[in-house]
Amino acid sequence: MPKSKYDAIYKDLKLKIEAGDFPRGELLPSENSLIPVYGCSRNTLRRAIARLVTDGYVQTIQGKGVRNIFIPVEQTSYTIGDIETFKESSLRNQKNGSTRVLRFVELTADERVAGRTGFPVGSELYYIQRVHSLDGKPLILNHNYFLKSAAPGLTPEIAEQSIYEYLENTLHMTIVNSKRVITVEKITEIDEKYLELNVNDYNCLAVITSHTYNSDGVMFEFTQSRHRPDYFRFQDNALRRGNR
Amino acid sequence: MPKSKYDAIYKDLKLKIEAGDFPRGELLPSENSLIPVYGCSRNTLRRAIARLVTDGYVQTIQGKGVRNIFIPVEQTSYTIGDIETFKESSLRNQKNGSTRVLRFVELTADERVAGRTGFPVGSELYYIQRVHSLDGKPLILNHNYFLKSAAPGLTPEIAEQSIYEYLENTLHMTIVNSKRVITVEKITEIDEKYLELNVNDYNCLAVITSHTYNSDGVMFEFTQSRHRPDYFRFQDNALRRGNR
DNA sequence: GCCGATTTGTCCGTATGTATC
DNA sequence: CGATACATACGGACAAATCGG
């Protein structure tokens, strides 16, 4: 359900582009010709197009038009500049995702935990360790830390389903943004065990470290996601802004 | 030099935030109070703020205000959602970057090259192999393919300086966007040799594969950047758009 | 090279909706 | 409930780039 007019236009254009309704590499109909089609103002249409630009679907050239540069990509990619839960990603890829909870404990942040996560010393936290599998193959080992005061009532049962669903739908929390860092790290014995890896094969893996914020401005989650290197794929569309 | 009014406001607010002029975690002055400060319309101010949101500097909450969520980060990070050249990155980090050209050849894309790069079979290409070092330490091994028709006149001398500077300032090409994929791959003998790695230590590295487009809509560059795993850092700020 | 038509980029003012307090 | 703050939407004006005659 589109939450606004420009969002509806954005989604419609996106679908049409994905469906190949516009020739690849060519220009889309001009803004002025699309305005009557959608019955909107120019600003509204331009807002929809701006989103397509950041998605890497089109590029705009002043004086010429809007070029379709969409290329169908591997659907198996893990994430694309948006916050997406494992469950959402599984559904999008029409795969059979499953989650196993390895550990579920409550703890108080000491110096060591505080330094690692960024939570203040003394914070009451949930620490959850989970393995995400796709079609039965373990792909991701997750270490989650949730601030208990912001995400109260978490249980192992919820962790096995979807924590974000619980936070958003039951607690009505609004998740806003997530600062992520991707690095490559050495494999630990825990990784080796739960991701069924062999040091003699790959001896490192991809790690996504993220600090996630809600609309109260509190960092309520720290997560370290450890990904099997042979299945890890992270996509991005970068724009050149330069100093011009 | 700001290229527009909203860009000037964006840069000014960004600097003020980085300088700590606004209390961290608190709300910025409201839009209405900033409008007279900058002498602009509300739309223009909101456009500047929208950029700060995508940068992860602030978050906006309807009915409340704009919260400063800036956290100073490691400057050593390689890249942040923008296309940045190695030279620009070195300067930003105030490091002493240097580039060594290992190979510089012209070739015609055969089946194998075409499949790997995405250029059509028969394309005339430059193939350039380079090592980027920071403070004398080799960090990145680059395999660049440039479309000769779009980037004519490349030389090893240019490749040792900055190819993008040549493309943008001399050829007046406008670089628009770059589709990137990050993966983790096994080390090859070439990596081992030029990045001074040891298989017994790390046996894989971070790989950024990118397809870059100019304003003519032609993919003129394919590049594979192979990064030392112990120095690789990729930052990102993801926004939760969900389905709400 | 100039001119005019087309197309995107920037900016403004206003009105209305919605969430917070 | 009212005041405040951000979100959406509209319409208009002018600038800047592109392209064809």
Side-chain angles (χ1 to χ4, degrees):
Chain A
M1 196 183 315
K3 61 181 197 306
S4 57
K5 199 163 182 175
Y6 79 84
D7 191 54
I9 298 171
Y10 160 71
K11 286 190 169 63
D12 185 70
L13 285 173
K14 189 165 184 167
L15 281 175
K16 284 193 168 61
I17 290 171
E18 286 167 348
D21 286 6
F22 304 111
R24 307 262 153 91
E26 298 299 311
L27 301 182
L28 265 60
S30 75
E31 292 175 355
N32 278 325
S33 67
L34 286 176
I35 288 171
V37 174
Y38 288 108
C40 66
S41 72
R42 179 150 173 253
N43 278 335
T44 304
L45 180 72
R46 282 177 61 75
R47 200 162 164 188
I49 291 175
R51 287 260 295 245
L52 294 172
V53 171
T54 68
D55 288 351
Y57 273 46
V58 300
Q59 61 177 205
T60 61
I61 313 112
Q62 188 175 95
K64 290 187 77 169
V66 180
R67 175 175 279 115
N68 174 8
I69 55 168
F70 172 76
I71 295 176
V73 288
E74 289 300 321
Q75 285 298 305
T76 52
S77 291
Y78 175 59
T79 176
I80 326 178
D82 187 14
I83 299 176
E84 196 177 45
T85 69
F86 180 71
K87 195 168 176 180
E88 288 163 350
S89 169
S90 308
L91 286 173
R92 183 168 58 79
N93 295 318
Q94 301 181 311
K95 296 271 189 172
N96 182 18
S98 66
T99 299
R100 187 154 71 98
V101 178
L102 302 178
R103 292 185 63 189
F104 187 102
V105 296
E106 309 189 7
L107 55 82
T108 306
D110 58 13
E111 284 285 350
R112 197 184 57 85
V113 172
R116 225 162 71 86
T117 63
F119 288 116
V121 175
S123 305
E124 298 286 317
L125 305 173
Y126 295 107
Y127 170 53
I128 306 169
Q129 204 171 314
R130 297 185 292 176
V131 173
H132 291 302
S133 302
L134 224 49
D135 290 340
K137 195 175 182 66
L139 297 185
I140 308 171
L141 176 60
N142 258 339
H143 301 267
N144 303 104
Y145 295 83
F146 284 95
L147 194 60
K148 214 191 277 186
S149 61
L154 277 186
T155 64
E157 289 69 37
I158 294 169
E160 198 163 332
Q161 294 305 311
S162 172
I163 293 179
Y164 271 36
E165 236 172 61
Y166 171 73
L167 297 179
E168 292 186 323
N169 300 338
T170 306
L171 294 187
H172 301 294
M173 180 193 285
T174 305
I175 290 141
V176 176
N177 71 318
S178 188
K179 301 183 183 187
R180 303 185 289 199
V181 177
I182 301 177
T183 53
V184 173
E185 290 186 17
K186 285 277 187 61
I187 278 185
T188 66
E189 288 180 13
I190 317 230
D191 300 324
E192 203 173 343
K193 178 174 173 189
Y194 291 109
L195 295 179
E196 298 171 8
L197 287 165
N198 184 345
V199 176
N200 299 322
D201 192 14
Y202 286 92
N203 72 2
C204 33
L205 38 64
V207 178
I208 301 185
T209 305
S210 58
H211 297 259
T212 309
Y213 296 75
N214 65 16
S215 62
D216 292 330
V218 304
M219 196 258 286
F220 70 95
E221 175 191 1
F222 169 86
T223 287
Q224 198 186 70
S225 282
R226 304 175 73 84
H227 295 246
R228 265 189 80 103
D230 46 352
Y231 280 81
F232 177 75
R233 248 179 93 87
F234 182 91
Q235 287 196 24
D236 183 42
N237 180 54
L239 304 175
R240 173 80 171 160
R241 295 210 288 241
N243 291 317
R244 284 155 299 117
Chain B
M1 194 181 316
K3 63 181 195 308
S4 57
K5 200 163 183 175
Y6 79 86
D7 191 53
I9 298 172
Y10 160 71
K11 285 190 169 62
D12 185 70
L13 285 172
K14 190 166 183 167
L15 282 175
K16 284 193 168 61
I17 290 170
E18 286 167 349
D21 287 6
F22 304 111
R24 307 261 153 91
E26 298 300 311
L27 301 182
L28 266 60
S30 75
E31 292 175 355
N32 279 324
S33 67
L34 287 176
I35 288 170
V37 174
Y38 289 108
C40 68
S41 74
R42 201 163 97 91
N43 279 336
T44 303
L45 180 71
R46 283 176 60 74
R47 201 162 164 187
I49 292 176
R51 287 259 295 245
L52 294 171
V53 171
T54 68
D55 288 350
Y57 273 46
V58 301
Q59 60 178 204
T60 61
I61 312 110
Q62 189 174 22
K64 291 185 79 169
V66 180
R67 177 174 279 117
N68 174 8
I69 54 167
F70 173 75
I71 295 177
V73 289
E74 290 300 319
Q75 286 299 304
T76 53
S77 291
Y78 175 60
T79 176
I80 327 178
D82 188 13
I83 299 176
E84 197 177 45
T85 69
F86 180 72
K87 194 168 177 180
E88 288 164 349
S89 169
S90 307
L91 286 172
R92 183 168 58 79
N93 295 319
Q94 301 181 312
K95 297 270 187 172
N96 182 17
S98 66
T99 300
R100 186 154 71 97
V101 178
L102 303 178
R103 293 185 62 189
F104 187 101
V105 296
E106 310 189 7
L107 56 83
T108 307
D110 57 14
E111 284 286 349
R112 197 183 58 83
V113 171
R116 226 162 71 85
T117 63
F119 288 115
V121 174
S123 305
E124 299 286 317
L125 306 173
Y126 294 107
Y127 169 52
I128 307 169
Q129 205 172 313
R130 298 185 291 176
V131 174
H132 291 303
S133 302
L134 224 50
D135 291 342
K137 195 175 182 67
L139 297 186
I140 308 170
L141 176 59
N142 258 339
H143 301 267
N144 302 104
Y145 294 82
F146 284 94
L147 194 60
K148 215 191 276 186
S149 61
L154 278 185
T155 65
E157 289 69 36
I158 295 170
E160 199 165 332
Q161 295 305 313
S162 172
I163 293 179
Y164 271 36
E165 235 172 62
Y166 171 72
L167 297 179
E168 293 186 322
N169 300 338
T170 305
L171 294 187
H172 301 294
M173 180 192 287
T174 306
I175 290 142
V176 176
N177 72 319
S178 187
K179 301 183 182 185
R180 302 184 292 198
V181 177
I182 302 177
T183 52
V184 173
E185 289 186 18
K186 285 278 186 61
I187 279 184
T188 66
E189 286 181 14
I190 317 226
D191 300 324
E192 203 174 344
K193 178 174 173 191
Y194 291 110
L195 294 179
E196 298 170 9
L197 287 165
N198 184 345
V199 178
N200 299 321
D201 192 12
Y202 286 92
N203 71 2
C204 33
L205 38 64
V207 178
I208 301 185
T209 305
S210 58
H211 297 259
T212 308
Y213 295 75
N214 66 16
S215 62
D216 292 330
V218 304
M219 196 257 286
F220 70 94
E221 175 191 2
F222 169 86
T223 286
Q224 198 185 70
S225 281
R226 305 175 71 85
H227 294 247
R228 267 190 79 104
D230 46 351
Y231 280 82
F232 177 75
R233 249 180 92 89
F234 182 91
Q235 287 196 24
D236 183 42
N237 179 54
L239 303 175
R240 174 77 171 163
R241 294 211 288 239
N243 291 316
R244 285 156 301 113

